[in-house]
């Protein structure tokens, strides 16, 4: 009987080891699959972040040009003197209008500058997540 018990014990141990090995393999495959999903998601989000940063960069460039134009226009009108055909009141109104235009252009530029900073930070965040997902996948042996 003891030989039979020993054989049963060995058989049970082998079966348990096989089940444990299968569970470990399934767990590793699940981790690899999760890492692949994270990589796919992060890569897609990085593409979106790059597109957003590009759009905001283009808008910022336009705002920079408008700001420079408004600064030039304001400078011209602030240095004008009343003359024949340009009354003091008309000049004052034009100076106020160019100053208002300059203020609006500066606010638009400042807003877009902050959006640009935020978009670049988001892009850097997603680049980091893509890198981390690649590293995790490489460690798990699920290279892509």
């Amino acid at each position: 009987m003891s030989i039979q018990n020993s054989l049963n014990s060995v058989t049970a141990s082998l079966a348990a080891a096989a089940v444990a090995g299968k569970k470990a393999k399934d767990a590793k495959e699940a981790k690899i699959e999760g890492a692949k999903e994270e990589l796919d998601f992060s890569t897609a989000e990085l593409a979106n972040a790059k597109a957003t940063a590009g759009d905001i960069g283009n808008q910022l460039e336009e705002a920079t040009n408008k700001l420079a134009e408004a600064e030039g226009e304001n400078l011209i009108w602030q240095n004008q003197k009343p003359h024949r055909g340009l009354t003091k009141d008309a000049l004052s109104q034009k100076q106020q209008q160019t100053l208002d235009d300059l203020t609006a252009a500066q606010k638009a530029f400042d807003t877009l500058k902050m959006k640009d900073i935020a978009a670049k930070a988001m892009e850097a965040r997603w680049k980091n997540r893509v890198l981390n997902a690649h590293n995790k996948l490489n460690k798990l042996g699920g290279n892509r």
Side-chain angles (χ1 to χ4, degrees):
M1 255 320 190
S2 70
I3 293 176
Q4 185 64 34
N5 287 341
S6 294
L7 288 175
N8 288 342
S9 178
V10 168
T11 303
S13 294
L14 290 175
V19 168
K22 181 167 178 19
K23 285 184 180 181
K25 183 179 177 188
D26 290 345
K28 183 176 180 179
E29 288 175 4
K31 285 181 182 180
I32 290 172
E33 189 60 34
K36 286 179 181 178
E37 288 175 8
E38 175 65 23
L39 178 59
D40 290 343
F41 176 75
S42 297
T43 302
E45 288 299 320
L46 176 58
N48 288 337
K50 283 182 177 181
T52 299
D55 289 344
I56 291 172
N58 291 339
Q59 292 173 18
L60 183 60
E61 188 175 327
E62 289 175 22
T64 302
N65 293 338
K66 286 181 182 179
L67 179 59
E69 192 177 297
E71 286 172 338
E73 187 76 13
N74 183 56
L75 187 62
I76 290 169
W77 283 100
Q78 295 305 321
N79 291 325
Q80 282 284 346
K81 303 285 185 219
H83 55 77
R84 188 179 197 151
L86 182 62
T87 66
K88 190 174 183 178
D89 286 341
L91 177 60
S92 180
Q93 287 177 349
K94 188 63 176 175
Q95 287 173 334
Q96 186 59 49
Q97 181 60 48
T98 59
L99 187 59
D100 291 345
D101 292 347
L102 176 59
T103 302
Q106 184 66 52
K107 285 182 181 178
F109 173 82
D110 291 344
T111 300
L112 283 168
K113 186 65 178 168
M114 295 307 289
K115 285 183 177 183
D116 186 55
I117 290 168
K120 286 178 181 175
M122 186 60 70
E123 183 179 352
R125 176 179 178 247
W126 286 112
K127 279 182 183 178
N128 191 39
R129 286 191 62 179
V130 166
L131 180 63
N132 289 341
H134 271 293
N135 290 341
K136 184 176 182 180
L137 199 54
N138 287 339
K139 283 181 184 178
L140 293 171
N143 298 350
R144 258 201 203 209

